Amino acid sequence: MTTQQQLGKTLWDIADQLRGAMNADDFRDYILSFLFLRYLSDNYENAVRKELGSDYPEMPEGDIKKSGVATPLQLWYKENPSDVTEFEKQMRRKAHYVIEPRYLWNNIYELARTKDDDLLHTLQLGFEYIENESFERTFQGLFSEINLNSEKLGKNYTERNKKLHVIITKIAEGCARFSTSSDILGDAYEYLIGQFAAGSGKKAGEFYTPQQLSTILSKIVILDSQNPELGEKNKLDKVLDFACGSGSLLLNVRRQMGESEGSIGKIYGQEKNVTTYNLARMNMLLHGLKDTEFEIHHGDTLLNDWNILNEMNPSKKMEFDAIVANPPFSLKWEPNDTLAEDFRFKSYGVAPKSAADFAFLLHGFHFLSGEGTMAIILPHGVLFRSGAEERIRTKLLKDNNIDTVIGLPSNLFFSTGIPVCILVFKKCKKFDDVLFINASEHFEKEKRQNRLREGEYGKPNDIQKIIETYQYRKEEERYSRKVSLDEIKENGYNLNISRYVSTFQEEEPVDIHAVMAEIKELEAKRADLDKEIEVYLKELGLVP
């Protein structure tokens, strides 16, 4: 188990012990927010230590309450009041944000450890400060779902304050044994999000894409669009996830690009659920992104209410080099009459009320650059449903925009057991066929769900096989095949994977005569055995 997983498991065990009767989703918001505050504080204090150098003060020995300081920065502020304004300006340039010393995690922990009556009040002020003043860009509402006055924490201020003493002390003690680097803390945060997703059933679909599927999508979109065999691109200028949840997919694209300086220009995400939107913004910062390196919008993708994506001038249209998405499956929606003229749908038609899958798909495809790749997870219904969906699918095929169809095993998600597929789209496609990959039978069963194998302990690597098959357009019997558009046309533009790559394996022909001879031989042996048994029974006097 990696250090990240160990820390994640430690924190998950703490969460499991402490939440009591509280709903897992509610407790998630508290523990992830406190972990986020700890990361911001550690990162900031490390930057302060570098900036102040030899002027970084030593903490005085003795009772902290008497000295009135719990962190070195508190002491520096106390001793250098006239330099504070200039110092904070400098820290905004260096660390991109500022936190007042009394709101730093070490001070919050000290208030919890000493069971201070002012802990809850200080936390409230600290969250408000970070939202409104810490960063150059406002993160208004970042902690809007963290209700420290909730009766779920306690019936009154005193009870809530006591509960926070315990929660924060346990988190601090749990983290103390581990490194505080952004990689470890950030990945532990991802682990926790996954654990909460696993425990929250259908709600998990709102905010979490399993890491295995996230890795497949990420590795596909960073490959050269025209010829994936050439390998990964050197740079992605803009990356979009228009249904980003907690942001795990976007972060995975960044991880696969190596996180090298300048390898990704900027990350963009959109999320409708406010709790998840806040989670995504925290997740970006927790993984070391500066506030200038990402933009997450709270809004409705289907209505396209994000100003930067509503530019009517084609020359100013926002386009993305890589788009990844795991939108809600077959979401019912209410398309109005004006959407028929919407620039995203005008050339294709509007998705039916019963399922917004193609509306999400066309939204992303509209903003894909000419040299970009879009990989999107969708239910199998998009491959074969008729009506409006068939018309949209047919046009995308005729325009040669569908590059690859990947069928996955069922029960990979926390939120649903249905099998899903990954569709890969390009606007300028080199190949005039469609690659079909049928990976539906390549997995291992676990207690709760199925899992793609990753090559451990000599097992096959299902993830790597999918990626390599896509990259080199490999053909393999009962697994993958390149299919011409003429053949797809003959099938009525139906993309049902089993039509093109069947996993059915014929059994060897049975020799009826040999089987009958064997049955006769066995019956003769049984008759002989019956006679022998009868002899023994007579000798024992058990039969007349």
Side-chain angles (χ1 to χ4, degrees):
M1 187 181 285
T2 65
T3 305
Q4 290 94 322
Q5 289 172 323
Q6 287 174 336
L7 174 56
K9 188 177 186 311
T10 299
L11 292 168
W12 173 249
D13 290 343
I14 290 168
D16 223 22
Q17 293 164 22
L18 294 180
R19 74 180 178 89
M22 193 185 296
N23 182 286
D25 288 340
D26 293 326
F27 197 78
R28 175 196 74 206
D29 298 332
Y30 290 107
I31 196 167
L32 292 179
S33 295
F34 296 147
L35 196 60
F36 175 62
L37 176 61
R38 184 179 190 268
Y39 166 74
L40 286 180
S41 299
D42 288 346
N43 191 53
Y44 185 66
E45 287 191 280
N46 287 336
V48 166
R49 194 177 286 109
K50 286 180 186 175
E51 182 62 25
L52 292 179
S54 58
D55 291 333
Y56 190 74
E58 293 288 330
M59 284 294 291
E61 293 183 9
D63 190 344
I64 286 172
K65 286 200 173 182
K66 284 183 181 176
S67 67
V69 295
T71 67
L73 192 57
Q74 275 182 304
L75 182 58
W76 189 89
Y77 269 54
K78 192 174 181 181
E79 294 176 345
N80 302 276
S82 61
D83 296 330
V84 167
T85 301
E86 190 56 40
F87 169 76
E88 289 189 347
K89 281 183 183 176
Q90 185 67 2
M91 290 311 297
R92 287 190 188 281
R93 285 193 288 272
K94 295 287 180 71
H96 280 252
Y97 66 97
V98 166
I99 301 180
E100 275 191 16
R102 62 181 169 146
Y103 304 135
L104 290 168
W105 174 259
N106 284 334
N107 187 54
I108 297 295
Y109 168 51
E110 190 58 31
L111 293 176
R113 189 186 68 80
T114 57
K115 298 180 170 54
D116 195 291
D117 293 339
D118 205 31
L119 172 62
L120 193 156
H121 183 59
T122 306
L123 266 174
Q124 287 174 320
L125 292 174
F127 285 160
E128 189 177 323
Y129 178 86
I130 291 170
E131 281 188 343
N132 299 313
E133 298 181 51
S134 278
F135 295 87
E136 288 291 346
R137 293 192 302 142
T138 178
F139 280 99
Q140 192 71 40
L142 191 62
F143 299 99
S144 62
E145 299 299 295
I146 316 305
N147 183 3
L148 294 173
N149 291 320
S150 170
E151 288 198 1
K152 291 170 184 175
L153 278 176
K155 291 180 181 177
N156 52 47
Y157 181 97
T158 303
E159 285 189 17
R160 291 193 285 274
N161 203 53
K162 282 181 180 177
K163 180 85 177 217
L164 289 170
H165 289 160
V166 177
I167 294 172
I168 288 169
T169 302
K170 288 285 187 183
I171 292 172
E173 290 171 353
C175 289
R177 303 195 302 274
F178 299 92
S179 162
T180 57
S181 76
S182 63
D183 283 346
I184 289 174
L185 208 54
D187 288 349
Y189 192 84
E190 284 283 308
Y191 176 90
L192 275 177
I193 290 173
Q195 291 300 107
F196 278 112
S200 65
K202 291 185 178 179
K203 290 184 181 179
E206 294 176 4
F207 65 88
Y208 191 72
T209 301
Q211 279 293 324
Q212 294 190 312
L213 301 189
S214 178
T215 297
I216 294 172
L217 266 66
S218 301
K219 283 183 174 288
I220 283 174
V221 299
I222 67 173
L223 291 170
D224 186 89
S225 300
Q226 284 294 301
N227 189 1
E229 283 192 42
L230 297 176
E232 297 173 7
K233 294 180 177 180
N234 295 321
K235 180 177 171 61
L236 294 172
D237 186 37
K238 298 185 189 74
V239 180
L240 171 69
D241 181 348
F242 52 77
C244 71
S246 65
S248 62
L249 249 173
L250 288 169
L251 288 166
N252 209 330
V253 175
R254 180 172 177 264
R255 191 178 297 122
Q256 300 303 335
M257 284 295 286
E259 300 182 19
S260 58
E261 191 69 34
S263 60
I264 291 183
K266 194 168 181 178
I267 283 173
Y268 295 82
Q270 181 162 358
E271 175 55 42
K272 185 178 180 181
N273 180 297
V274 67
T275 306
T276 315
Y277 158 68
N278 290 333
L279 203 60
R281 294 189 292 171
M282 288 185 200
N283 209 3
M284 295 293 143
L285 293 166
L286 196 73
H287 279 82
L289 273 76
K290 298 182 179 73
D291 60 333
T292 54
E293 294 178 318
F294 70 91
E295 190 166 341
I296 309 293
H297 176 68
H298 177 223
D300 190 328
T301 296
L302 295 177
L303 297 179
N304 198 27
D305 56 9
W306 195 356
N307 288 339
I308 65 169
L309 300 184
N310 252 317
E311 178 57 59
M312 301 305 292
N313 184 341
S315 64
K316 294 181 180 179
K317 176 186 167 188
M318 183 79 93
E319 292 188 327
F320 298 87
D321 301 320
I323 298 178
V324 287
N326 173 27
F329 299 152
S330 300
L331 180 75
K332 289 182 172 59
W333 70 312
E334 294 293 333
N336 54 45
D337 294 339
T338 58
L339 281 178
E341 293 301 311
D342 187 292
F343 50 69
R344 298 168 296 165
F345 311 134
K346 192 173 183 179
S347 301
Y348 301 89
V350 179
K353 291 181 180 182
S354 57
D357 300 313
F358 271 102
F360 282 116
L361 187 161
L362 290 173
H363 173 89
F365 186 68
H366 179 79
F367 297 106
L368 184 66
S369 73
E371 292 298 316
T373 302
M374 178 171 84
I376 180 171
I377 301 172
L378 291 168
H380 273 249
V382 300
L383 302 176
F384 54 77
R385 288 192 296 240
S386 57
E389 292 182 293
E390 181 182 351
R391 290 191 291 275
I392 296 169
R393 185 173 62 243
T394 299
K395 178 163 175 54
L396 287 165
L397 283 164
K398 285 181 175 179
D399 292 347
N400 201 24
N401 295 137
I402 300 178
D403 180 87
T404 304
V405 179
I406 304 169
L408 296 168
S410 60
N411 205 30
L412 290 177
F413 281 83
F414 302 119
S415 53
T416 179
I418 65 168
V420 299
C421 61
I422 296 172
L423 296 181
V424 181
F425 290 85
K426 295 172 184 178
K427 286 192 172 174
C428 299
K429 222 178 95 182
K430 177 181 178 181
F431 306 102
D432 57 4
D433 51 32
V434 176
L435 175 65
F436 284 82
I437 301 173
N438 193 341
S440 60
E441 296 185 3
H442 296 254
F443 64 93
E444 65 181 353
K445 282 185 175 292
E446 290 193 345
K447 282 183 182 178
R448 286 189 177 184
Q449 59 199 120
N450 295 329
R451 179 178 174 81
L452 299 174
R453 294 164 297 185
E454 297 183 62
E456 310 103 324
Y457 314 114
K459 293 177 183 175
N461 193 324
D462 299 325
I463 295 172
Q464 196 59 35
K465 183 169 185 175
I466 290 170
I467 294 160
E468 287 183 359
T469 303
Y470 164 78
Q471 183 173 5
Y472 299 105
R473 293 185 87 76
K474 293 180 179 178
E475 292 189 288
E476 181 182 322
E477 191 176 356
R478 293 192 300 280
Y479 186 76
S480 60
R481 184 175 158 234
K482 293 180 283 190
V483 180
S484 70
L485 288 175
D486 286 339
E487 184 177 343
I488 293 171
K489 182 181 178 182
E490 286 171 13
N491 279 285
Y493 298 99
N494 185 316
L495 295 180
N496 200 341
I497 299 168
S498 58
R499 288 192 177 213
Y500 306 102
V501 184
S502 173
T503 58
F504 176 75
Q505 197 166 358
E506 285 188 13
E507 294 183 12
E508 290 184 16
V510 177
D511 186 335
I512 298 295
H513 298 294
V515 172
M516 291 299 294
E518 188 178 351
I519 290 171
K520 283 181 181 178
E521 186 180 342
L522 289 170
E523 286 177 342
K525 284 181 179 179
R526 189 182 70 178
D528 291 341
L529 191 59
D530 287 345
K531 287 176 184 176
E532 280 185 47
I533 292 170
E534 190 175 354
V535 170
Y536 291 135
L537 291 174
K538 282 180 179 178
E539 289 177 359
L540 293 169
L542 296 175
V543 293

